[in-house]
Amino acid sequence: MLFFGKKSYDYEQLSKKFSSLLTKNISPDELYLGLLKCLTEAMHTESGTFVLREKDVYAVRQSLDGRSFSFRAEDCVNIIHWLKKNRGTLTRQQLLEESHFTPIRTAGLNFFTQFHAEACLPLFAGDDLLGFVMLGARKKSEAYSASSRTVLDWMGTQFSLGLQNALLKEQIRAQNLELGSVKNLKSQIVANLSHELRTPLTGVIGFSELLAEEIDGQLNDEQKRHVGQVLGNANRLMKILAALVDMAKLEAGNLSMHVQQFSLAPLVASLGDEIPLGGETAFKILLDTTTPRIYGDLTLVRQVFKHLLDNAAKYTPRGEVEVTAVKKGEMLEVCIADTGIGIAEEKLSQIFDGFYQVDGGLTREFQGAGIGLVLSKKLVELHGGRLWVKSAPGKGSRFYFTLPLKPIVIKYRELAA
Ligand code: ADP
């Protein structure tokens, strides 16, 4: 406890007040006001103004007497220089009485008059002068003595800590907002662009199908092969665009979901014809009517199976692709296992990064855009499940994911993070 005049200052009490303010979940302005009130109360003054620097402009951020103005740092350069050099409280009385203040006396007194203030408490972060608190005359004609300046200096350190904390929070919030709008913009661009690309592509596919069906006349073998290639490539492009649109919608929290209970066996069976298995690869679906029904969006769950089965088929030139499922607590654990090329251990974490391919060179053997896995993972997570992989080169891959056996709540917020 520090004593001066007839008053004593209970640091412990003040410290408690400051830390309770600092730990509260309040806005920066509420925090500044709270800290200002603590200070003025302890100093027995009703007048207090908190000035914050933004670049080279100092502006009133909170004031107990409704003050609101700003000024450029260069307009009070002498005072700022003194505060920076001495790092302590400066009072009007010091300016008036102490001879070493003569060079800055006039400027200093004008500065104090602007605020109707008697004391100026600088707030620092390292060597950076973040701002200051201007305090008015104390009640009962008490002066700002040397000992009260010591108390103020201590309070200044506490206030500075609170200020740095609040500024950091403000900065993080602003960055999050910026990041959010960049993400939304990106999603919007992807969605628009994909839509613009899909329209002409639908025409390419439609007319190629007409040609392939020989409605406009018979084709020779070479023409048929060429049309087949146009169709194959256009369909692949369409799939990539669809995945990009879904990804953009998912990131923007715009993917609509219709949750229902359904059986996986018919869904996987219906995909059989769509999976481009080579002639030497067998497809085994070990799901049946005894497989527990899951809760989810049928279209989205179908997409997960489609992406994983497409991959299993693509990376298994010959061998076996098998789908199994077991109940694990409140989830159904699905496994899509293949006996294909497998994935090296050091690549396992990267394949979920998006736009990543293990064989990513221009001369790569397998085509793809690298979004199937990241999209599948996010779709599974949207259902409250998990997706992971076990694999080794030459030993095939086992992709596991879980889906809920009970009704679910969609968690867009966590996904977008
Ligand atoms: P892509 O369209 O390139 O297949 P994905 O996101 O679906 O994109 O997969 C990312 C990468 O993960 C692939 O490029 C591939 O290297 C690897 N991968 C995915 N599934 C398998 C699998 N079943 N077997 C081997 N590698 C796989």
Side-chain angles (χ1 to χ4, degrees):
M1 205 177 286
L2 185 83
F3 292 90
F4 65 93
K6 288 190 187 107
K7 294 281 165 196
S8 67
Y9 283 81
D10 190 338
Y11 281 99
E12 206 179 315
Q13 193 60 24
L14 275 171
S15 219
K16 267 189 196 156
K17 276 191 187 172
F18 274 127
S19 43
S20 109
L21 274 169
L22 296 185
T23 47
K24 265 188 194 156
N25 192 14
I26 50 179
S27 72
D29 278 312
E30 284 171 314
L31 175 72
Y32 302 148
L33 191 63
L35 292 171
L36 200 53
K37 280 185 177 158
C38 267
L39 263 179
T40 49
E41 209 175 285
M43 282 296 128
H44 307 123
T45 172
E46 279 172 358
S47 160
T49 302
F50 165 49
V51 178
L52 188 63
R53 181 176 62 79
E54 224 175 275
K55 296 205 175 105
D56 57 350
V57 172
Y58 286 92
V60 171
R61 181 76 187 244
Q62 277 294 351
S63 173
L64 298 183
D65 27 348
R67 244 169 263 284
S68 165
F69 59 91
S70 59
F71 50 91
R72 300 182 70 78
E74 63 207 38
D75 297 339
C76 48
V77 71
N78 289 338
I79 296 295
I80 287 176
H81 182 70
W82 190 93
L83 292 172
K84 277 188 176 170
K85 198 165 152 225
N86 294 278
R87 300 183 65 97
T89 304
L90 175 66
T91 66
R92 215 169 82 88
Q93 207 166 342
Q94 281 177 288
L95 277 171
L96 282 170
E97 290 173 0
E98 294 174 25
S99 59
H100 60 275
F101 284 113
T102 313
I104 65 161
R105 181 162 293 139
T106 315
L109 290 175
N110 285 341
F111 180 72
F112 276 81
T113 308
Q114 279 190 86
F115 293 96
H116 295 282
E118 288 293 322
C120 170
L121 173 63
L123 305 170
F124 286 94
D127 288 334
D128 192 13
L129 180 64
L130 299 174
F132 34 84
V133 177
M134 302 300 292
L135 294 167
R138 307 182 72 194
K139 288 183 219 161
K140 303 177 208 154
S141 346
E142 289 171 67
Y144 283 99
S145 60
S147 49
S148 61
R149 288 205 303 273
T150 310
V151 180
L152 273 174
D153 287 345
W154 176 83
M155 286 185 178
T157 316
Q158 308 294 312
F159 201 123
S160 296
L161 283 177
L163 179 56
Q164 286 174 51
N165 204 13
L167 289 175
L168 212 64
K169 272 194 201 159
E170 264 183 89
Q171 201 183 337
I172 292 170
R173 217 191 38 214
Q175 278 169 350
N176 279 347
L177 278 177
E178 206 178 308
L179 214 66
S181 55
V182 169
K183 248 186 175 179
N184 275 346
L185 187 68
K186 187 193 88 186
S187 304
Q188 197 56 45
I189 292 171
V190 171
N192 290 351
L193 197 69
S194 306
H195 179 76
E196 289 306 310
L197 290 173
R198 269 202 290 185
T199 316
L201 200 56
T202 311
V204 172
I205 293 173
F207 286 114
S208 308
E209 278 171 351
L210 281 183
L211 283 175
E213 285 162 22
E214 300 185 318
I215 287 170
D216 297 325
Q218 275 207 323
L219 304 178
N220 63 34
D221 286 349
E222 196 169 12
Q223 286 167 332
K224 274 187 200 163
R225 201 162 45 83
H226 289 162
V227 171
Q229 277 168 347
V230 172
L231 251 180
N233 283 315
N235 276 324
R236 227 182 42 240
L237 203 54
M238 194 61 126
K239 260 190 347 201
I240 294 172
L241 286 176
L244 274 175
V245 171
D246 283 346
M247 194 72 180
K249 280 187 185 167
L250 201 68
E251 279 181 354
N254 271 340
L255 202 68
S256 51
M257 250 181 117
H258 174 64
V259 176
Q260 57 179 310
Q261 196 184 20
F262 58 91
S263 206
L264 290 181
L267 180 145
V268 180
S270 74
L271 276 170
D273 293 340
E274 293 178 35
I275 309 300
L277 284 167
E280 293 179 55
T281 304
F283 184 28
K284 281 195 199 161
I285 309 169
L286 303 180
L287 307 175
D288 57 27
T289 46
T290 62
T291 309
R293 284 148 58 88
I294 61 109
Y295 278 88
D297 181 298
L298 202 136
T299 316
L300 301 183
V301 171
R302 192 173 199 278
Q303 273 190 48
V304 174
F305 274 100
K306 176 97 172 73
H307 284 302
L308 296 181
L309 288 171
D310 268 348
N311 278 350
K314 181 161 62 175
Y315 298 106
T316 311
R318 69 192 62 82
E320 207 172 87
V321 174
E322 189 181 86
V323 185
T324 52
V326 282
K327 184 174 177 294
K328 290 264 172 90
E330 293 187 348
M331 307 296 274
L332 186 73
E333 186 182 288
V334 179
C335 175
I336 296 181
D338 66 59
T339 56
I341 62 168
I343 306 163
E345 197 182 343
E346 67 274 14
K347 307 283 183 186
L348 284 179
S349 58
Q350 282 154 283
I351 59 172
F352 294 103
D353 285 350
F355 304 102
Y356 177 84
Q357 288 158 321
V358 172
D359 166 31
L362 284 176
T363 54
R364 66 178 188 260
E365 188 184 343
F366 301 99
Q367 287 161 330
I371 36 178
L373 281 185
V374 66
L375 181 62
S376 302
K377 189 166 187 286
K378 283 186 187 258
L379 289 176
V380 167
E381 284 167 2
L382 193 61
H383 285 79
R386 231 163 41 85
L387 192 154
W388 69 101
V389 61
K390 285 182 187 165
S391 184
K395 300 248 166 74
S397 308
R398 301 175 81 82
F399 281 86
Y400 295 89
F401 61 95
T402 54
L403 289 168
L405 296 168
K406 295 204 162 156
I408 52 165
V409 179
I410 300 150
K411 300 172 183 165
Y412 266 124
R413 242 170 232 298
E414 287 160 36
L415 272 177

